[in-house]
Amino acid sequence: MKQFKQANITIFIADTTVPEPTDPSDLKPNMPTPIDFTCSLVKNFSLIVGHQDIATEYTNYVQYYNNLVRDRIASLLPSQRPKVLLEWYQPYYTWVTPSVYQAGGVNIAENQTIYAPLLSAEFVAEQNPAVIIRMISSPTHSENDFVAARNEILGRTAIQSIDAVKNGKVYICDYAARGGIRCVVGYLYWAKWL
């Protein structure tokens, strides 16, 4: 960064992290979604590199779906929202994100006090999630990677009795579908699954 400044090169920094869990009492139907964040970032980038017309076209396109999901889940009662185990990197490793709520579910880890807790199999079984969403990184986007991840979850002895496993509601999502300008794709998958 120092070298960029010395070369008189403008620096733009965007913070894409959410370092703290969202308190469940702060979850609101119209709170900003990853799509809102991405639209803001695209708008800012377009001010730097031009092509505001393309940024506006993108924003209008994805906000249509963002609002569609918001409208469809707006009237859900808490009892109508399925309990969700959201996993990443390894079994039972999760993170506390409002994205589950924004797609129509309740994150079973929402009351955890750290952003990315490692849950126990016993805790998951006790919570009895109706849906499991596992995030994976598949560089080739091979269907085999998704099938293997799903089969691994379905084969876990400790959670055979939970509703998600019994009813086959175990879904695998590629990180590429939940980040950046493609985030609308993953958002719609999550909303459909939930």
Side-chain angles (χ1 to χ4, degrees):
M1 189 179 299
K2 192 176 192 178
Q3 289 174 328
F4 284 137
K5 286 180 180 178
Q6 288 172 345
N8 211 18
I9 297 173
T10 303
I11 300 168
F12 174 75
I13 299 173
D15 185 3
T16 61
T17 63
V18 180
E20 298 296 326
T22 302
D23 187 309
S25 64
D26 291 337
L27 294 173
K28 307 282 186 273
N30 289 325
M31 65 190 306
T33 67
I35 293 171
D36 295 315
F37 173 80
T38 300
C39 288
S40 175
L41 199 56
V42 166
K43 180 182 174 187
N44 288 334
F45 280 145
S46 75
L47 294 173
I48 295 167
V49 301
H51 303 287
Q52 287 91 346
D53 55 334
I54 295 171
T56 298
E57 183 180 350
Y58 167 82
T59 298
N60 291 340
Y61 177 77
V62 299
Q63 284 295 354
Y64 167 80
Y65 292 105
N66 196 23
N67 292 326
L68 179 71
V69 172
R70 278 184 172 143
D71 291 345
R72 289 190 179 174
I73 68 170
S75 62
L76 287 179
L77 300 172
S79 62
Q80 294 173 304
R81 290 175 171 270
K83 291 167 87 176
V84 181
L85 167 61
L86 179 59
E87 280 192 350
W88 65 345
Y89 297 117
Q90 66 183 12
Y92 311 117
Y93 191 44
T94 189
W95 76 103
V96 181
T97 172
S99 295
V100 172
Y101 178 82
Q102 292 163 332
V106 174
N107 188 335
I108 65 168
E110 71 178 9
N111 290 312
Q112 299 294 310
T113 57
I114 60 172
Y115 177 69
L118 178 60
L119 306 175
S120 68
E122 294 78 17
F123 176 82
V124 172
E126 181 182 295
Q127 292 298 309
N128 190 23
V131 177
I132 296 174
I133 298 175
R134 173 72 184 261
M135 301 300 295
I136 68 167
S137 180
S138 175
T140 62
H141 309 293
S142 168
E143 185 177 340
N144 293 334
D145 295 340
F146 297 86
V147 170
R150 185 172 191 270
N151 288 340
E152 183 276 320
I153 294 168
L154 291 172
R156 292 180 195 166
T157 306
I159 59 170
Q160 288 301 303
S161 65
I162 69 169
D163 289 345
V165 172
K166 288 192 300 189
N167 297 323
K169 293 192 180 266
V170 174
Y171 303 101
I172 311 304
C173 185
D174 195 322
Y175 283 108
R178 277 296 290 174
I181 61 171
R182 298 173 294 232
C183 67
V184 67
V185 175
Y187 184 54
L188 290 172
Y189 270 115
W190 284 26
K192 182 175 180 167
W193 294 335
L194 302 182

